[in-house]
Amino acid sequence: MKVAITSTGNSPDSTLDSRFGRCSYFVIYDNESHSTEFIPNPNKDSIEGAGPAAVQLIASRGAEKVVSGEFGAKVKSLFDTLKIQLVVLNDPEKKISEIIMLLNHKT
Amino acid sequence: MLIIMPRPKRIRKMTNPPHFKGFRPIALPEENDPIVLNYEEYESIRLSDFELHGHLEASKIMEVSRPTYSRIYESARRKVAEAFVLGKSILFEGGKVFFDTEWYSCKSCGCYFNHPAKEQRMDNCPLCGSSDIVQYSENTQLRPTEGSCVCPKCGLKKVHSPGIPCRNEICPDCNSPMIMEGAPHQHRNLNCN
């Protein structure tokens, strides 16, 4: 299963980005092959509609779970219809590698 | 002519719809007409007899009044009893409901998450896999159970007692109503004095 995580940078040592639509990078983590992919967010500086565009990007990569600090009002209903689970983590200090470690506890 | 029009039904909130269609009695050759159990009736049995909520509590979860909830529950029990006694099958169907996703919080890693696949029960945190999760409701967030009340005039602090709003506490030194510590208006009040 693939999990999308919002990140402030493009290395596993960067921290979780608390914004969803305007985060710097998306991390797509596959917990079967344990591969990570960093995608720069093309909508980082857009004025409007960054959230829905980000949803599309994540859905096209086939992620089933999204970890971020916060989700906007437009995004929540979109994720509900796509059946993608939202995980709100209120900890901007958390590193991407730590989140991946947490995710692996399950399997 | 008198036209009697009933009040429209309030739309009931469903959080966990069943993931199967119904029940059928074992070893009964002829198929008789099934009993239709509405989704709201299923939900009332789930809330009252499975999750063991009181009627008042359950009615708040379903966003209907307490008497309405009791009526739904009564009707649900009668239908279930009828199906049991007469050997009828039960179908889950219809009802005036809307579906809402539930939010949970994990006590072990402190994250919040929702649950879009309603058909499955939520038992584990999607992040750390811990089973120490609680259903998240807005009421628990708004009314803190711990922390302290602070006096806006002299800054005196007092341990908050759960259930009593901070503004009902009176500062013993300057007799002014106290406010919640860390509230957005705390800073403003301290500055004016």
Side-chain angles (χ1 to χ4, degrees), chain B residues 13 16 30 44-45 65 67 85 106 115 136 146 158 180:
Chain B
K13 182 174 152 186
N16 282 304
E30 75 273 30
S44 75
I45 288 187
S65 74
V85 172
C106 171
H115 182 37
Y136 174 76
E146 46 198 48
K158 183 173 176 288
M180 190 178 102

Side-chain angles (χ1 to χ4, degrees), chain A residues 9-21:
Chain A
N10 62 352
S11 80
D13 290 327
S14 42
T15 53
L16 179 81
D17 203 318
S18 54
R19 296 157 306 166
F20 169 70

Side-chain angles (χ1 to χ4, degrees), chain B residues 11-192:
Chain B
I11 188 156
R12 291 95 162 92
K13 182 174 152 186
M14 277 287 284
T15 48
N16 282 304
H19 58 278
F20 52 97
K21 292 263 168 69
F23 290 96
R24 197 177 284 152
I26 299 170
L28 210 66
E30 75 273 30
E31 182 83 17
N32 42 27
D33 52 322
I35 294 210
V36 175
L37 193 72
N38 290 337
Y39 274 135
E40 64 221 43
E41 289 163 345
Y42 164 86
E43 181 83 344
S44 75
I45 288 187
R46 190 185 72 83
L47 289 172
S48 282
D49 296 333
F50 184 73
E51 301 209 335
L52 306 176
H53 290 294
H55 281 203
L56 185 65
E57 219 177 312
S59 66
K60 281 179 187 150
I61 296 171
M62 246 163 112
E63 296 183 356
V64 291
S65 74
R66 209 275 308 145
T68 303
Y69 179 82
S70 297
R71 272 198 305 278
I72 294 169
Y73 182 59
E74 174 85 31
S75 149
R77 290 191 87 145
R78 286 188 181 190
K79 281 185 180 175
V80 170
E82 191 187 341
F84 276 17
V85 172
L86 303 177
K88 288 184 175 178
S89 45
I90 300 173
L91 266 184
F92 299 143
E93 226 173 66
K96 189 159 179 164
V97 291
F98 76 100
F99 301 105
D100 196 15
T101 52
E102 299 244 296
W103 283 83
Y104 297 84
S105 70
C106 171
K107 282 185 180 169
S108 135
C109 65
C111 70
Y112 297 97
F113 53 94
N114 75 345
H115 182 37
K118 299 181 184 77
E119 295 80 22
Q120 296 138 28
R121 278 181 57 78
M122 199 66 198
D123 295 316
N124 292 96
C125 170
L127 197 62
C128 63
S130 153
S131 56
D132 195 11
I133 55 171
V134 281
Q135 204 158 358
Y136 174 76
S137 67
E138 280 154 22
N139 310 357
T140 54
Q141 195 66 5
L142 285 171
R143 304 230 174 280
T145 48
E146 46 198 48
S148 34
C149 315
V150 61
C151 172
K153 281 197 182 142
C154 62
L156 180 112
K157 278 183 192 171
K158 183 173 176 288
V159 177
H160 177 76
S161 33
I164 301 168
C166 298
R167 62 174 186 280
N168 289 7
E169 302 270 2
I170 302 296
C171 173
D173 289 348
C174 45
N175 285 332
S176 67
M178 301 178 90
I179 55 172
M180 190 178 102
E181 189 187 25
H185 48 274
Q186 184 198 338
H187 200 61
R188 197 176 58 208
N189 284 347
L190 281 172
N191 282 354
C192 334

Side-chain angles (χ1 to χ4, degrees), chain A residues 70-83:
Chain A
E70 223 171 298
F71 296 98
K74 286 183 198 165
V75 164
K76 208 201 144 253
S77 56
L78 274 173
F79 276 129
D80 274 353
T81 51
L82 290 165
K83 294 221 165 190

